[in-house]
Amino acid sequence: MATVAKELHTHYLIDVKGDWLRHLKQDVLEPLTGKAVNHPVLKAIESGRLPKEKFARMMANLCWVITAFPEYVSALAARCPKNDHVIKAALLENAYIERDHPFLLAQAVNALGGPGDAILEGPDWVSFDFDPYVHMLRMTIEGYVFHRPWIEGMAATAVGVETVTPAVFGGLGRAAVQHYGVSEEDAEWFRIHGGEVEMEHGNDGLRVLDKYVAADDLNTQHACIAAARLVSDSVGVGVLDMVGRW
């Protein structure tokens, strides 16, 4: 009897070796991503049923978080073990790439009728009426990046954010153009985040965990899984739940 292959939403992620990383990929990241891509809010955006003002508000809240990502990646590069030149160089290159992403997302927010320019110009706590949930998400990411051990910061951002973003947000550019009047040029942020470069950033995060977390270091393994689970769930599912409450 033939069996139907299960759809793999994180098909772009590499095969990992360690048992704990396989658990993270198969039992945490993949189910969370699947839950997000099948979320009623995401389906409503894809079909053009979500009101434009709510789509704009969602992306504006994300923009308020993403404006700080060049700083976050730069901080992780600075905290990287000094003599690991390969990973440090990759993080610095990623930070350089990230420098443009807040501007590209703000451009999309503007095109949707949201306050993209105001979010960029700041100040952060005055120029934009952010949702309390996104405030919590931003503080969580900053806590991991600046205050928790470096490897947990990598798990939270390079894995927790980067592995789910291509599947969850990368395809929304098509809906933005087809249903919400956004030009192809103004939808560039979505195309980038659904592309191979962004997909590979998540793989880089998994490679870092494989390199730095020993097979018998159960405490660090659990700490990294907790970080990746919290942030991937918050970004992939929690943001959509936030929109559903509006």
Side-chain angles (χ1 to χ4, degrees):
M1 181 178 178
T3 57
V4 178
K6 181 181 178 181
E7 183 180 4
L8 190 65
H9 301 290
T10 53
H11 59 86
Y12 46 84
L13 295 182
I14 58 173
D15 291 329
V16 291
K17 299 176 183 178
D19 289 342
W20 79 277
L21 281 174
R22 280 196 295 271
H23 165 65
L24 172 59
K25 179 185 173 183
Q26 297 173 4
D27 302 327
V28 177
L29 298 175
E30 171 60 24
L32 284 173
T33 305
K35 185 177 179 181
V37 300
N38 290 295
H39 196 286
V41 169
L42 201 70
K43 294 298 185 183
I45 295 171
E46 290 173 343
S47 63
R49 291 181 290 107
L50 187 76
K52 186 176 182 179
E53 60 270 20
K54 289 189 177 182
F55 187 23
R57 185 179 171 190
M58 180 182 88
M59 299 314 300
N61 272 277
L62 285 173
C63 188
W64 187 73
V65 177
I66 287 170
T67 52
F69 257 78
E71 301 168 34
Y72 298 159
V73 181
S74 298
L76 290 168
R79 298 181 67 198
C80 176
K82 180 179 179 181
N83 295 316
D84 193 336
H85 305 296
V86 173
I87 292 179
K88 188 177 285 287
L91 286 168
L92 289 169
E93 181 179 2
N94 190 358
Y96 184 73
I97 292 171
E98 288 284 347
R99 83 197 188 283
D100 287 333
H101 291 182
F103 297 94
L104 292 174
L105 182 51
Q107 183 174 302
V109 171
N110 288 335
L112 288 165
D117 289 338
I119 294 169
L120 284 181
E121 293 167 7
D124 282 358
W125 306 99
V126 175
S127 62
F128 176 63
D129 186 18
F130 50 85
D131 190 277
Y133 176 82
V134 164
H135 176 212
M136 179 191 70
L137 172 60
R138 181 167 167 174
M139 294 303 101
T140 297
I141 294 173
E142 291 196 3
Y144 272 112
V145 167
F146 296 113
H147 302 294
R148 294 297 299 168
W150 173 75
I151 194 65
E152 292 181 33
M154 292 296 296
T157 56
V159 177
V161 176
E162 302 280 14
T163 59
V164 302
T165 294
V168 179
F169 298 104
L172 294 185
R174 189 182 309 109
V177 172
Q178 292 179 351
H179 303 302
Y180 295 96
V182 176
S183 70
E184 293 286 350
E185 180 182 2
D186 288 338
E188 180 67 12
W189 183 87
F190 297 101
R191 282 194 298 276
I192 288 174
H193 286 79
E196 292 183 3
V197 172
E198 289 299 315
M199 293 176 182
E200 194 59 18
H201 287 166
N203 287 325
D204 288 340
L206 291 172
R207 293 185 185 104
V208 168
L209 296 188
D210 186 40
K211 178 176 181 178
Y212 274 95
V213 182
D216 60 351
D217 189 351
L218 299 182
N219 193 61
T220 301
Q221 290 172 15
H222 283 278
C224 289
I225 290 171
R229 178 189 286 115
L230 175 62
V231 176
S232 62
D233 186 39
S234 299
V235 171
V237 179
V239 167
L240 299 173
D241 286 344
M242 172 189 75
V243 178
R245 292 191 291 270
W246 293 341

